[in-house]
Amino acid sequence: MNRKIRVLHISKRYPPYVGGIETTCHDICSCLKETGEYEQMVIAFNDKPETIEETYDGIDVIRVGVQRIIASQPLAKDYGKVVKKIISEFKPDIIHFHYPDPFAAHYVLKYMKKLNFNGKLILHWHADIIKQKVLKLLFVHQNKALLERADLIIATSPAYLEDTDYLPKYKDKVEILPSCIGKERSKTSLEITEKAKSIRQEHSGKTICFFFGRHVEYKGLKYLIESNQYLDQKKIDIIIAGSGPLTNELQQEASKYKNISFVGRLSDDDINSYLMACDIFTFPSITRNEAFGISLAEAMYFGKPSVTFTIKGSGVNWVSINGETGLEAENKNIKQYASLITNLSTNKVLYNKLANGAKERCDRLFTIKAFNENVINIYNKLIGDIKND
């Protein structure tokens, strides 16, 4: 190879900002960096009005200043200028675009055309636009343009590929890249183990159900709380970690129950302690906004069976398989959800089967090692000609 392959990653946000898409983008950058064969840049939105350029974990990152956020979409007056400048000067061989991000997509499509970009486009399709039912109709043409232009499309699971609004027409250029558990989430230490023992002692004699994540509508936490009325509250404790716009409302709803506790946002080490200490991972997401469910995989790493809802078109029910790694209730059926928790808490044979299945599936599909192998295989499909330039 005569030179390093230049890759421009375009993600809505980038770490240390916390989010599934952002983490996946960072994981890909880290994987490619370790090969020594790639030169990389990232364009992302800042959480402030100022545009800054910095190096994060050895990768050059431009965080474009944001003036407004509408329907979860950051708007930045200088975004087009930055995209034009970087494509012109950095001259990427590959643009890896993380979807959904319609504002960024407008400028990526515009300047790929204006600047006669003839490199490869990877379209990483994390999720359809779902919540904004009217707004999403405005981007039908844009989505088709992206899909037609893409040299390779990445989906995070076979389940999402089958039921997404757009991808089935482009199956011939789709590759599956499951997200992975990060190195921090698979870390154990004496301190983590001791904290887990302390949590177990605090809830001695109880089955511990644990959730962590953002407190937003699609996470379905209200249904987890409502299901508690059908549980034996003297034998089962529910611990909810994380925060979000619905936290106060959820805490008020749960205040009538003594066996539900909120522990706020936790560090990576503390999350690992709770995952190690808990018996069941309760993951009550209800819509395809939950496209994958990386926290499911993280719980599976610790050998914890999960209880989920059936979500048509989501990768959730592919990450955790009903009857193999966890149990699955009809969507929003709180009585059935509670029944499955009770079944797991009382049936040791079933519990051990699902716990072993969860650990085995995570080790096979969702570790950083498996992820890196998949990334390299995907990139190798595109770079044969580039390497000899």
Side-chain angles (χ1 to χ4, degrees):
M1 183 177 66
N2 298 323
R3 63 171 177 81
K4 290 186 176 182
I5 297 159
R6 293 183 291 270
V7 182
L8 174 61
H9 303 270
I10 299 180
S11 175
K12 186 181 290 186
R13 306 283 191 182
Y14 195 73
Y17 186 93
V18 177
I21 294 175
E22 295 76 15
T23 300
T24 296
C25 182
H26 178 263
D27 289 339
I28 292 169
C29 289
S30 298
C31 171
L32 297 181
K33 184 179 71 171
E34 289 179 7
T35 70
E37 297 183 4
Y38 296 87
E39 182 181 353
Q40 303 179 83
M41 290 191 70
V42 176
I43 298 176
F45 291 103
N46 199 0
D47 57 0
K48 300 175 182 177
E50 298 80 25
T51 295
I52 62 171
E53 299 182 23
E54 63 179 359
T55 300
Y56 185 88
D57 280 355
I59 306 294
D60 291 334
V61 181
I62 300 175
R63 304 183 193 270
V64 186
V66 171
Q67 282 68 52
R68 295 187 69 185
I69 297 177
I70 298 177
S72 302
Q73 173 66 67
L75 305 179
K77 62 182 178 62
D78 293 331
Y79 197 88
K81 295 178 183 178
V82 171
V83 170
K84 180 180 180 181
K85 180 176 185 289
I86 297 306
I87 292 179
S88 299
E89 297 179 1
F90 183 58
K91 300 185 185 304
D93 299 297
I94 299 172
I95 294 177
H96 192 137
F97 182 79
H98 291 266
Y99 180 94
D101 190 351
F103 183 82
H106 168 76
Y107 290 104
V108 171
L109 286 168
K110 176 180 178 178
Y111 288 112
M112 282 196 305
K113 183 176 181 179
K114 278 197 169 187
L115 299 172
N116 296 315
F117 172 75
N118 60 2
K120 307 292 187 180
L121 174 64
I122 297 176
L123 179 59
H124 203 133
W125 197 276
H126 292 270
D128 293 352
I129 297 174
I130 298 170
K131 185 177 180 181
Q132 295 80 13
K133 294 183 179 180
V134 176
L135 282 177
K136 74 176 184 179
L137 299 177
L138 302 176
F139 305 116
V140 171
H141 177 74
Q142 181 188 81
N143 291 343
K144 289 180 178 178
L146 282 168
L147 290 158
E148 291 289 340
R149 175 58 182 84
D151 296 277
L152 188 147
I153 301 164
I154 292 175
T156 55
S157 74
Y160 209 89
L161 170 60
E162 292 300 324
D163 285 299
T164 178
D165 293 339
Y166 292 95
L167 296 192
K169 297 179 183 178
Y170 301 92
K171 283 184 179 180
D172 59 327
K173 54 181 177 180
V174 172
E175 297 287 335
I176 304 299
L177 177 62
S179 299
C180 69
I181 61 172
K183 293 178 181 177
E184 289 301 313
R185 190 65 70 247
S186 59
K187 184 176 74 174
T188 57
S189 67
L190 179 60
E191 291 77 11
I192 290 172
T193 302
E194 289 301 315
K195 176 70 179 286
K197 289 180 181 178
S198 175
I199 295 167
R200 291 293 319 169
Q201 290 172 358
E202 184 180 349
H203 300 270
S204 179
K206 303 284 192 72
T207 296
I208 301 175
C209 297
F210 179 57
F211 167 90
F212 74 94
R214 294 177 62 221
H215 298 176
V216 291
E217 186 176 355
Y218 76 83
K219 292 289 186 181
L221 282 167
K222 65 172 287 188
Y223 299 101
L224 172 60
I225 293 169
E226 289 174 1
S227 74
N228 189 53
Q229 64 189 288
Y230 300 108
L231 296 174
D232 186 339
Q233 296 164 28
K234 294 181 179 180
K235 295 182 178 179
I236 294 175
D237 283 345
I238 297 173
I239 302 172
I240 297 173
S243 63
L246 297 182
T247 299
N248 290 339
E249 179 182 326
L250 294 168
Q251 287 178 327
Q252 185 174 359
E253 174 67 22
S255 62
K256 57 190 173 187
Y257 299 119
K258 294 182 179 180
N259 68 320
I260 299 180
S261 58
F262 287 75
V263 293
R265 293 186 65 178
L266 302 175
S267 67
D268 286 328
D269 284 0
D270 282 346
I271 289 173
N272 288 357
S273 293
Y274 275 95
L275 287 173
M276 188 179 290
C278 76
D279 299 290
I280 301 168
F281 189 66
T282 42
F283 194 73
S285 293
I286 53 172
T287 75
R288 287 171 58 208
N289 291 82
E290 192 71 78
F292 188 82
I294 190 61
S295 54
L296 269 179
E298 292 167 345
M300 290 161 65
Y301 177 82
F302 285 92
K304 306 301 176 175
S306 59
V307 179
T308 61
F309 285 121
T310 302
I311 312 172
K312 180 175 170 53
S314 168
V316 164
N317 308 123
W318 177 80
V319 174
S320 180
I321 306 295
N322 188 32
E324 295 182 18
T325 65
L327 298 176
E328 185 180 316
E330 177 187 10
N331 206 312
K332 300 182 183 179
N333 187 331
I334 57 174
K335 194 169 185 178
Q336 185 183 13
Y337 197 86
S339 175
L340 297 182
I341 291 174
T342 299
N343 194 10
L344 269 179
S345 68
T346 56
N347 188 331
K348 286 291 185 183
V349 173
L350 175 63
Y351 182 91
N352 290 334
K353 173 194 170 185
L354 299 183
N356 292 333
K359 176 61 175 169
E360 185 278 329
R361 184 168 176 80
C362 179
D363 288 345
R364 180 163 47 87
L365 294 176
F366 307 130
T367 61
I368 192 71
K369 180 177 182 292
F371 180 84
N372 286 350
E373 289 174 355
N374 284 329
V375 169
I376 296 304
N377 288 337
I378 286 171
Y379 267 73
N380 282 343
K381 293 179 182 292
L382 293 181
I383 63 176
D385 295 334
I386 300 172
K387 282 189 173 183
N388 296 317
D389 286 351

